[in-house]
Amino acid sequence: MASSSTAPAPSQPPAFTDMLGHPRPLWMLFMTEFWERFAFYGMRWALTLYIVAQFFGGDPSGESYASRTYGAFLALVYATAIFGGYVADRIIGYQRSILLGAVISAVGYFMIMLPNQQIFLAGLAVIIVGNGLFKPNISTQVGQLYATGDARRDRGFTIFYMGINAGALVSPLLTGWLASVITDTPMQQNYKIVFLTTGIGMLVSMVWFWFGRSQLKGLGQPPAGRNGGKDLLMVLGGSLLAVPVVYLLMAKAGADVLAWILGLLFIALAVMLLVEALREGAVQRDKVIAMLTLFAFNILFWCFFEQAGSSFNFLAEKIVDREMFGGWIFPVGWFQSVNPTAIVVLAPIVAIAWGVLAKRNVEPSIPRKFGLGLIFNAVAFLLLMYALTHLVTAEQIPFWPLVVVYVLQTVGELCLSPIGLSMVTKLAPVRYVGLAMGGWFLSTAIGNNLSGIFAGHVSGESGMTVASALEGFTFSFWLLAGAGVFLFLIAPLINKFMHGVK
């Protein structure tokens, strides 16, 4: 691969041919991410249910452990992005990071098919390391397709976000069907088919990027002066050494210790970004301060949004009436397709809405979009509070409130998550965009870890009940609503620190 000495800076991308109004490589990255997310979300819906079924014999006392393991897994998936971003920025470039991450992740997906608990946890650790190399760098490549000030950037990230969610939509439907149809065995055995399918999806992602990377015209090559082959072997060796460290953090240290470690990592990253920003002057310093402030609100959003794979899963399994026409039972895993379905439907509408509002000079600022994300998330929990208070019959609530909850959270997600990805590429110091993107995912990691801890409290020692769910979700509503209103109030100050970035 060519040295990045011939590759243009992110602010000066090559003259790409447009396709549907955006640089053509966007669609290649879209499909690469589609298959990677197919793998991840195909596995994610089954994770807590599999742990309880396989390692606790279906006993509800395993719900708390499963939720905390799930939260720690998601946290480390996103936390390792900080290292993956740095590796791409400074050592092997974005393209090689994506390819290496895809290979490592695929190995992990095949490992978790084995029913041994320690091998299962080790497989999760391998997925974590691979995802850390893959996830921040493909997002950064999307940002590099657009010149500084290109008004299409936010809309490009929204389209890319549709690729993420198209994979997340198809995967639970397919893998849920495979688990229940292909074999007539207990579910803990059928989940092996789920994990096999997701491993294949990860391999497809790798092959798609391998053949499509020529469209990038040199974007994402290794930094100038690096020894490509030697550096790649060094990063591979470091990744192998990282697996047992990640395993110990997830399986032995646990979610509480991990919360402190992630907090310290976040502080260290903030200091690094601020030091670099100070070298570039007061304007860049202010931009980094604004970015880090929004990172903090991102933590809160994901803490409660990511109940989907933990407390919402157990809510669906135990408290939601899933009986449909003719006695057919709606699969728990299929609830995980509501969010991506809503994103695929609503993302174009939201993108068009931002464009229309921009033409009229009334588009909400980035902080206020974040505030809307928090408020929609809060309203979702308000609906659950209503259902658990007024709609309970025989210790169950109707099917529809949980579906609507996922849709409301989706609207909030569209106001926050793709805008956050775009925001990082606009506000981060140019030399550390990958590291800053890793910081974005680190803030998501902290929220995910807290989500597992919170879900564990909702389930308690004996499993989720109507009363425990109502208490936990009431707390969620008030905290999210308060944070959303507060962010709206301080938005003008944050905008001032962003120095005209829209």
Side-chain angles (χ1 to χ4, degrees):
M1 295 183 182
S3 167
S4 67
S5 59
T6 61
S11 59
Q12 298 175 325
F16 293 118
T17 302
D18 279 359
M19 182 177 178
L20 300 179
H22 289 270
R24 188 180 178 193
L26 174 66
W27 306 101
M28 181 274 293
L29 297 173
F30 175 104
M31 288 305 301
T32 302
E33 183 74 346
F34 170 93
W35 285 108
E36 189 274 334
R37 291 291 90 180
F38 174 94
F40 184 81
Y41 283 96
M43 174 272 298
R44 192 192 77 152
W45 76 263
L47 190 57
T48 53
L49 301 175
Y50 173 74
I51 290 171
V52 173
Q54 179 70 51
F55 305 124
F56 288 86
D59 193 316
S61 64
E63 290 180 16
S64 179
Y65 171 83
S67 293
R68 294 166 76 87
T69 301
Y70 170 82
F73 166 74
L74 285 186
L76 289 165
V77 159
Y78 287 104
T80 51
I82 184 176
F83 301 106
Y86 183 83
V87 163
D89 277 339
R90 313 299 293 173
I91 303 175
I92 63 173
Y94 301 102
Q95 291 190 24
R96 291 184 175 187
S97 293
I98 291 167
L99 288 168
L100 182 59
V103 172
I104 294 172
S105 295
V107 172
Y109 284 113
F110 293 123
M111 286 178 65
I112 62 175
M113 293 174 60
L114 302 176
N116 180 278
Q117 186 172 0
Q118 300 311 312
I119 296 176
F120 172 79
L121 293 170
L124 292 181
V126 173
I127 293 172
I128 288 166
V129 172
N131 196 86
L133 288 167
F134 186 103
K135 185 65 178 172
N137 297 314
I138 194 164
S139 299
T140 301
Q141 290 259 258
V142 173
Q144 290 177 332
L145 300 178
Y146 299 91
T148 301
D150 190 330
R152 299 176 300 168
R153 185 185 295 239
D154 276 4
R155 293 188 287 279
F157 269 101
T158 300
I159 292 169
F160 177 70
Y161 210 66
M162 287 178 63
I164 294 174
N165 288 281
L169 185 165
V170 172
S171 190
L173 295 177
L174 175 61
T175 56
W177 176 78
L178 288 174
S180 61
V181 172
I182 295 299
T183 60
D184 185 22
T185 55
M187 282 302 294
Q188 61 265 33
Q189 299 300 322
N190 296 352
Y191 290 135
K192 311 300 189 301
I193 297 172
V194 171
F195 302 145
L196 172 64
T197 304
T198 58
I200 294 171
M202 193 68 243
L203 290 177
V204 173
S205 175
M206 178 198 68
V207 172
W208 197 283
F209 186 77
W210 173 266
F211 286 105
R213 71 192 192 283
S214 61
Q215 297 179 25
L216 294 168
K217 298 183 178 181
L219 280 182
Q221 297 291 348
R226 301 299 309 196
N227 185 323
K230 182 179 179 181
D231 287 339
L232 187 61
L233 288 174
M234 179 181 69
V235 171
L236 176 60
S239 299
L240 295 176
L241 292 174
V243 169
V245 175
V246 171
Y247 168 85
L248 291 173
L249 287 172
M250 180 177 57
K252 303 301 180 183
D256 293 327
V257 173
L258 187 58
W260 286 99
I261 294 172
L262 294 175
L264 291 173
L265 270 177
F266 186 78
I267 293 171
L269 175 135
V271 170
M272 290 177 66
L273 290 174
L274 283 169
V275 168
E276 175 63 19
L278 287 170
R279 292 195 183 110
E280 297 186 20
V283 171
Q284 185 61 66
R285 175 204 63 199
D286 290 350
K287 289 181 179 180
V288 168
I289 291 173
M291 181 176 69
L292 293 174
T293 302
L294 293 174
F295 281 6
F297 286 97
N298 188 53
I299 291 171
L300 185 62
F301 178 87
W302 291 105
C303 174
F304 296 105
F305 182 92
E306 271 302 341
Q307 296 305 303
S310 50
S311 69
F312 285 5
N313 243 0
F314 295 122
L315 182 79
E317 185 179 49
K318 301 173 65 176
I319 298 176
V320 172
D321 181 2
R322 295 180 286 113
E323 185 173 344
M324 301 285 106
F325 302 105
W328 176 70
I329 304 299
F330 187 88
V332 171
W334 285 15
F335 279 105
Q336 302 301 312
S337 288
V338 176
N339 166 254
T341 300
I343 284 185
V344 171
V345 172
L346 296 175
I349 297 172
V350 172
I352 292 170
W354 295 148
V356 170
L357 293 173
K359 289 179 180 178
R360 298 179 180 179
N361 294 319
V362 291
E363 182 180 8
S365 64
I366 290 174
R368 287 198 165 134
K369 288 178 181 176
F370 270 57
L372 286 171
L374 291 165
I375 289 171
F376 274 106
N377 202 354
V379 173
F381 283 96
L382 182 62
L383 176 58
L384 281 178
M385 289 166 57
Y386 174 80
L388 291 165
T389 303
H390 299 289
L391 303 179
V392 177
T393 302
E395 295 299 302
Q396 287 193 317
I397 62 174
F399 176 85
W400 66 266
L402 185 56
V403 174
V404 177
V405 161
Y406 278 115
V407 174
L408 288 169
Q409 284 194 319
T410 299
V411 178
E413 182 183 2
L414 286 169
C415 291
L416 181 143
S417 193
I419 305 306
L421 292 172
S422 180
M423 179 239 347
V424 171
T425 66
K426 295 175 182 178
L427 296 179
V430 172
R431 292 201 314 133
Y432 286 96
V433 174
L435 181 63
M437 191 66 76
W440 168 257
F441 290 116
L442 177 59
S443 68
T444 304
I446 296 171
N448 287 336
N449 188 56
L450 293 175
S451 79
I453 295 172
F454 175 75
H457 285 299
V458 173
S459 287
E461 295 182 0
S462 57
M464 179 179 290
T465 64
V466 170
S468 68
L470 177 60
E471 180 183 0
F473 298 155
T474 300
F475 171 80
S476 306
F477 164 72
W478 287 111
L479 186 56
L480 285 166
V485 171
F486 178 67
L487 184 51
F488 258 82
L489 293 175
I490 66 170
L493 177 61
I494 298 175
N495 285 328
K496 181 178 179 181
F497 274 65
M498 290 168 66
H499 290 278
V501 170
K502 303 294 184 182

